[in-house]
Amino acid sequence: MTELNFEKHFQDKVDAEIKIEPKDWMPDAYRKTLIRQISQHAHSEVVGMLPEGNWISRAPSLRRKLILLAKIQDEAGHGLYLYSAAETLGISREELVEQLLSGKAKYSSIFNYPTLTWADIGAIGWLVDGAAIMNQVMLTRASYGPYARAMVRICKEESFHQRQGYEIMLTLAKGSAAQQHMAQDALNRWWWPSLMMFGPKDDDSAHSQQSMKWKIKRKSNDELRQQFVDVTVQQAEVLGLAIPDPDLKWNEERGHYDFGEINWDEFWNVVKGNGPCNKQRLDARIKAHEDGAWVREAAMAYAEKKEQRKLMESAKAEAA
Ligand code: FAQ
């Protein structure tokens, strides 16, 4: 088969909803796009532990602390499934980590904002996990098998995370005036960055068109953002909290909420590394990687020793 035939066969499979698996032929650009997206996603899960980790020691009760710990550990697990999915495309874990630590690889803009009060933990679960699920449910049907399968489990866990965040918000919103104020303040600060998580407007999205043709993405950035606004406005109403957008209005004709313009300068500024916590987040990951060097060395030494023992035993068995 010529290269063109391979391409056609590949696209026919994608169109017929047959999953692409690691050993199947795939265009180089498809492989590159997947490595880019899956690794950015993995990095986001791992860096995403930091803002919430900031509140483990200050959770308001033992019950809250246990739930928060479990949630953060889930995010680490998501990172691991996703790094493994990326590795099936022929890139090593070391390379992926190096790309994050050197600042070459992106991770989600949302994790460069600070968590100032306990209500931020509620807002992250409700809005950030809520936005993540909206995007990831579509990814359970991604054309690349290992990515789609990893997403199924991740979505189940994110759904629990979203509910725990909403329950924190509900408790605060029904609490004292000071607690209600904290909840509103957290919503004010997390609303717009959550909308930015979906990525640039469709007209400015460099990869969307091709990724949709390859069925990696099934919906565009703007479609998912709109879907998120539509469900979240109603959830805010139940909480009795106000979405910080004077232009938010139900549009009968469209059957959707209209909403105000996102501050795209802020978005690109954060993506380029100049957000409020970019430096702090990267420094924390670099430190964790350096502090963990002895664990990696010990694990490698153990694996080598085990291999040597196996070789010696088989040599002995052969000699006997
Ligand atoms: N932040 O052409 P597009 C979570 C970049 S997981 C930073 O539209 P694409 C769980 C984009 O990479 C959250 N950069 O790109 C959790 C590209 O740059 P490049 C993460 C962004 O890939 C919760 C350029 O802009 N989720 O939250 C962002 O088609 C709580 C052009 O953009 C995923 O990663 C951004 N927000 O669509 C954990 C889901 N948006 O690479 C802890 C998988 C765009 O050319 C606590 N990813 N960029 O240099 C996706 O679905 C897609 O990659 C999009 C972007 C939709 C994010």
Side-chain angles (χ1 to χ4, degrees):
M1 277 210 284
T2 64
E3 183 84 358
L4 264 180
N5 286 342
F6 274 121
E7 290 250 13
K8 184 180 177 319
H9 179 66
F10 169 84
Q11 190 62 48
D12 287 347
K13 262 172 89 174
V14 169
D15 292 341
E17 301 290 342
I18 299 170
K19 291 273 180 262
I20 305 300
E21 297 297 338
K23 288 186 178 158
D24 294 344
W25 186 92
M26 60 186 84
D28 257 5
Y30 176 82
R31 188 186 298 278
K32 272 199 195 127
T33 282
L34 278 171
I35 292 177
R36 178 187 63 79
Q37 178 168 325
I38 300 174
S39 64
Q40 287 179 4
H41 193 167
H43 301 325
S44 304
E45 300 280 356
V46 170
V47 177
M49 291 192 284
L50 295 168
E52 287 175 296
N54 188 32
W55 278 87
I56 294 173
S57 60
R58 290 177 287 163
S61 69
L62 181 59
R63 175 175 167 268
R64 292 291 187 202
K65 185 171 178 147
L66 283 171
I67 296 171
L68 184 60
L69 266 173
K71 179 203 190 287
I72 295 171
Q73 283 176 357
D74 284 351
E75 307 299 358
H78 299 174
L80 295 180
Y81 312 150
L82 289 165
Y83 281 130
S84 299
E87 283 173 294
T88 64
L89 291 154
I91 186 161
S92 70
R93 182 81 58 101
E94 288 74 17
E95 269 177 277
L96 294 169
V97 172
E98 154 61 21
Q99 286 175 0
L100 171 68
L101 301 184
S102 65
K104 191 174 155 219
K106 293 192 168 74
Y107 58 85
S108 184
S109 49
I110 192 75
F111 301 116
N112 294 304
Y113 291 85
T115 38
L116 303 179
T117 73
W118 172 252
D120 290 24
I121 300 305
I124 289 180
W126 172 35
L127 301 173
V128 176
D129 284 280
I133 302 171
M134 198 58 86
N135 166 271
Q136 290 169 7
V137 165
M138 133 189 120
L139 296 173
T140 61
R141 295 191 297 124
S143 55
Y144 188 57
Y147 192 28
R149 289 189 288 272
M151 278 297 129
V152 173
R153 177 155 174 190
I154 292 179
C155 280
K156 285 185 184 159
E157 293 177 352
E158 298 292 26
S159 152
F160 153 71
H161 298 166
Q162 197 267 353
R163 281 161 203 216
Q164 68 84 39
Y166 193 71
E167 199 248 343
I168 293 176
M169 293 304 273
L170 200 56
T171 308
L172 293 173
K174 285 197 301 194
S176 65
Q179 286 171 316
Q180 287 168 15
H181 180 263
M182 260 169 69
Q184 182 62 56
D185 173 60
L187 171 57
N188 292 350
R189 284 179 292 105
W190 288 90
W191 175 252
W192 291 104
S194 298
L195 297 193
M196 293 175 197
M197 279 178 75
F198 294 95
K201 280 195 285 211
D202 289 353
D203 289 346
D204 300 325
S205 165
H207 305 289
S208 278
Q209 233 184 348
Q210 182 61 68
S211 288
M212 285 172 77
K213 185 163 179 245
W214 281 329
K215 297 191 195 287
I216 295 171
K217 285 165 92 163
R218 301 271 176 162
K219 290 182 180 175
S220 76
N221 299 356
D222 285 336
E223 273 177 88
L224 288 167
R225 192 168 12 245
Q226 180 71 63
Q227 212 176 317
F228 175 75
V229 171
D230 290 345
V231 301
T232 313
V233 169
Q234 289 164 23
Q235 293 167 357
E237 274 167 18
V238 173
L239 293 174
L241 299 178
I243 303 269
D245 178 358
D247 296 323
L248 187 77
K249 212 168 95 222
W250 178 251
N251 183 325
E252 196 63 53
E253 212 175 295
R254 290 200 312 121
H256 292 291
Y257 282 94
D258 290 336
F259 55 95
E261 181 66 12
I262 289 170
N263 182 343
W264 292 110
D265 289 342
E266 175 182 328
F267 170 73
W268 289 115
N269 204 34
V270 175
V271 171
K272 283 184 192 137
N274 305 317
C277 299
N278 292 62
K279 184 169 174 346
Q280 193 180 325
R281 301 292 181 237
L282 218 49
D283 286 352
R285 285 311 313 154
I286 292 169
K287 181 174 184 313
H289 189 70
E290 286 169 358
D291 289 351
W294 71 271
V295 180
R296 291 190 296 280
E297 279 163 24
M300 289 306 290
Y302 176 74
E304 274 168 29
K305 260 257 150 14
K306 220 168 132 183
E307 192 56 30
Q308 273 172 7
R309 201 172 302 143
K310 232 165 78 189
L311 284 174
M312 267 165 59
E313 273 163 16
S314 62
K316 259 194 225 159
E318 253 176 54

